Amino acid sequence: MSLVVQKFGGSSVADADSVKRVAKRIVEYRQAGHDVVVVVSAMGDSTDDLIDLAKEISPVPPARELDMLLTAGERISMAVLAMAIANLGYHAQSFTGSQAGVITDESFGKARIIDVTPGRIRSALDDGNVAIVAGFQGVSQTTKNITTLGRGGSDTTAVALAAALNADVCEIYSDVDGVFTADPRIVPSAHKISLISYEEMLEMAASGAKILMLRCVEYARRYGVPVHVRSSFSQHQGTWVTDAPIPEAFRTAQTEETEEKMEQAIISGVAHDRSEAKLTIVGVPDIPGKAAEIFRTVGHQEIDIDMIVQNISTRDPGRTDISFTLPKDDGVKAIEALESAKGSIGFDHIQYDDQIGKLSVIGAGMRSHPGVTATLFDALADAHINIDMISTSEIRISVVTNAELLDDAVRAAHTAYGLDADDTEAIVYGGTGR
Ligand code: ASP
Ligand code: MG
């Protein structure tokens, strides 16, 4: 008998009818003889509604209470889903994150899972139940306060439980058919990726693909959990994220074809990101220790920086310009911190540009195929798109462009790598909520 962990996102359980539809799907797995653990998100956009409510009451709600409030969304969906399954004549029991043994650190709003002790889930399964777990939440190891894992965190709950229970697969259900070669809203000819390695999925998630939370992919890779990303609105095979063959119990007629296709692909997909800004520190003294000082200053503010470029100023010998990208939301914080260290760093001034976009081309085949980079730059040149910054990893090339040109850049790259599908495949079934 295999054990399946299934996670349903907000749009899959948006209202009573959707909850009943999902319950049917879960019951089908029981009928096929699988043990099932379900992780649910809050219904529809209810997490956003709860945040709005909190802000109406307090401009800066205490973090502990905000987390307590937000976990209520998932408690609603887990209980109603258990009711819907009971209506179909099957046993189901719901559990909060804390009851399910999801133990975290104490960082409210972005807690990290430290351990999962799913004893109660095991016994619920042994007693013949479908176990339903509230996603996105846990309990602090030290203080026993209730925590949340950050927006979209239910994916991570699902993968963490799958790892702790040694599940055969973790299925992540949303309102799209899987991971696409590009965002179908920008590239209508994007097609579904049938199989992708953890490493490539990590790069996709880190480069702005929103289908899976980065932490969830990191977790899946660390514990080797096969993840199947698919739609709860169709029966189509979705995207398998795994380095191992697709598990025996879940192989279909297309599985082998899928695995073969993956071997051949050089580029898996094109991701984009509009959430970053570019900060340039002009006229930094070109002596050892200055970069360290700059990035220590920014690091102290807990700001994640992404691309870094340093250019020696030809006009002003002995000076250099350092640019880096960072989340737009952290722009003000970074500027303030750097300005207050201006005297000791000794730079001239700061330039800030939040009208940028980042395009990334990802594919493990890059390692063994020279010329992949030139293809991208040719395509961007033909589309008259100027490149502002470049960075690469072994399996990724990223460029920063003007925000207005980003969509064109994504389309140009997608076509240049031969990723366009012959017919339109991408369908988004539900709402916006995940
Ligand atoms: N309900 C939470 C959110 O909307 C968690 C999740 O959906 O995964 O962010
Ligand atoms: Mg949600």
Side-chain angles (χ1 to χ4, degrees):
M1 198 196 255
S2 28
L3 172 60
V4 183
V5 174
Q6 301 185 313
K7 179 258 171 177
F8 292 94
S11 62
S12 299
V13 292
D15 52 27
D17 283 339
S18 317
V19 170
K20 290 186 204 165
R21 193 173 45 79
V22 163
K24 277 201 199 119
R25 202 163 181 137
I26 294 165
V27 163
E28 279 165 25
Y29 272 73
R30 285 296 288 146
Q31 286 163 341
H34 301 299
D35 271 340
V36 186
V37 174
V38 177
V39 173
V40 274
S41 294
M43 295 171 75
D45 294 330
S46 56
T47 305
D48 294 299
D49 298 340
L50 291 171
I51 292 173
D52 291 346
L53 172 65
K55 291 210 169 126
E56 261 178 59
I57 289 164
S58 159
V60 190
R64 178 187 185 279
E65 304 312 324
L66 185 60
D67 271 19
M68 189 63 109
L69 174 70
L70 294 190
T71 56
E74 272 71 12
R75 284 178 85 127
I76 295 174
S77 24
M78 73 183 194
V80 294
L81 185 56
M83 291 173 197
I85 293 173
N87 267 345
L88 298 173
Y90 284 77
H91 297 290
Q93 281 187 348
S94 63
F95 298 90
T96 63
S98 159
Q99 288 176 323
V102 180
I103 302 182
T104 71
D105 63 16
E106 173 86 359
S107 348
F108 295 117
K110 50 171 193 271
R112 275 184 179 274
I113 298 177
I114 304 172
D115 195 9
V116 183
T117 51
R120 291 189 69 178
I121 304 301
R122 272 259 180 255
S123 18
L125 291 174
D126 291 345
D127 294 343
N129 291 288
V130 174
I132 305 186
V133 179
F136 166 68
Q137 54 180 270
V139 59
S140 152
Q141 190 170 42
T142 45
T143 61
K144 308 291 179 239
N145 279 322
I146 297 298
T147 54
T148 66
L149 309 180
R151 297 309 304 271
S154 303
D155 293 356
T156 309
T157 306
V159 170
L161 268 172
L165 292 164
N166 201 11
D168 296 86
V169 58
C170 180
E171 296 189 328
I172 307 264
Y173 287 92
S174 74
D175 53 12
V176 290
D177 271 329
V179 183
F180 279 74
T181 48
D183 184 337
R185 282 166 301 189
I186 296 176
V187 186
S189 57
H191 67 269
K192 185 180 68 201
I193 302 171
S194 315
L195 181 62
I196 187 169
S197 65
Y198 292 119
E199 191 186 28
E200 288 167 305
M201 194 62 231
L202 268 181
E203 292 276 14
M204 294 276 282
S207 306
K210 295 201 180 60
I211 183 112
L212 286 180
M213 202 199 188
L214 182 60
R215 260 192 213 172
C216 139
V217 189
E218 282 169 350
Y219 218 102
R221 173 159 82 161
R222 190 169 336 127
Y223 294 96
V225 179
V227 176
H228 187 186
V229 185
R230 55 195 309 197
S231 166
S232 69
F233 295 80
S234 81
Q235 294 289 341
H236 300 158
Q237 284 281 304
T239 301
W240 282 90
V241 186
T242 177
D243 290 344
I246 294 170
E248 205 50 56
F250 302 93
R251 298 181 79 88
T252 67
Q254 298 126 48
T255 310
E256 246 144 71
E257 205 181 306
T258 297
E259 282 168 348
E260 233 164 75
K261 250 200 247 160
M262 151 122 174
E263 300 265 296
Q264 287 161 12
I266 297 172
I267 298 301
S268 304
V270 182
H272 71 278
D273 191 351
R274 287 179 206 284
S275 66
E276 295 190 344
K278 177 178 140 184
L279 196 152
T280 303
I281 308 160
V282 180
V284 179
D286 193 12
I287 51 173
K290 287 299 162 188
E293 240 181 281
I294 287 170
F295 291 108
R296 204 180 307 118
T297 305
V298 178
H300 277 155
Q301 304 298 315
E302 307 227 351
I303 297 171
D304 285 327
I305 54 159
D306 185 20
M307 292 187 185
I308 304 174
V309 171
Q310 169 171 334
N311 262 331
I312 301 295
S313 164
T314 39
R315 287 227 210 109
D316 190 353
R319 297 259 161 186
T320 170
D321 298 345
I322 295 182
S323 298
F324 60 89
T325 61
L326 74 174
K328 272 182 198 170
D329 293 344
D330 291 331
V332 174
K333 218 168 37 166
I335 292 170
E336 280 171 4
L338 286 165
E339 286 292 354
S340 65
K342 188 174 180 177
S344 75
I345 300 173
F347 62 86
D348 189 63
H349 65 278
I350 290 175
Q351 284 170 1
Y352 184 69
D353 180 2
D354 61 3
Q355 296 304 306
I356 62 161
K358 185 176 77 173
L359 159 104
S360 303
V361 173
I362 291 128
M366 249 178 235
R367 286 202 182 96
S368 47
H369 288 80
V372 170
T373 314
T375 304
L376 177 64
F377 295 155
D378 279 343
L380 295 177
D382 289 346
H384 305 289
I385 292 163
N386 192 39
I387 299 171
D388 204 10
M389 292 168 99
I390 302 171
S391 86
T392 61
S393 83
E394 249 190 297
I395 64 161
R396 175 185 49 79
I397 312 163
S398 300
V399 299
V400 165
T401 69
N402 181 302
E404 271 172 28
L405 300 176
L406 183 62
D407 287 3
D408 287 341
V410 172
R411 283 188 283 264
H414 197 264
T415 304
Y417 289 110
L419 295 172
D420 291 341
D422 299 334
D423 40 44
T424 313
E425 227 188 284
I427 309 170
V428 179
Y429 300 90
T432 52
R434 283 226 48 227

